[in-house]
Amino acid sequence: MSFSFTNPEPDRDDRSFSFTGTDPADIDRQLQTITDMAHEILRLVANVRSQINT
């Protein structure tokens, strides 16, 4: 998983992104990727918390 705000290199996997593109659909896809990663992080944090509390 990687990201860059300035690196124009193409995506290396489905969770890599760059904000240098001008295509609005691409930016929407990148923002959805960020949202998906944030949800996954929150899910993992909740999982760890439940393990700690048991």
Side-chain angles (χ1 to χ4, degrees):
M1 167 178 26
S2 65
F3 64 91
S4 172
F5 292 97
T6 57
N7 189 347
E9 291 182 23
D11 293 345
R12 293 189 177 143
D13 65 35
D14 65 330
R15 297 194 311 177
S16 297
F17 52 89
S18 169
F19 284 100
T20 58
T22 58
D23 181 9
D26 191 45
I27 292 171
D28 286 342
R29 181 188 60 78
Q30 293 170 352
L31 291 174
Q32 184 60 53
T33 299
I34 294 168
T35 300
D36 293 345
M37 288 189 303
H39 286 174
E40 178 68 7
I41 290 167
L42 292 173
R43 186 189 69 76
L44 292 170
V45 167
N47 187 16
V48 169
R49 283 183 176 168
S50 71
Q51 290 178 12
I52 289 172
N53 292 330
T54 58

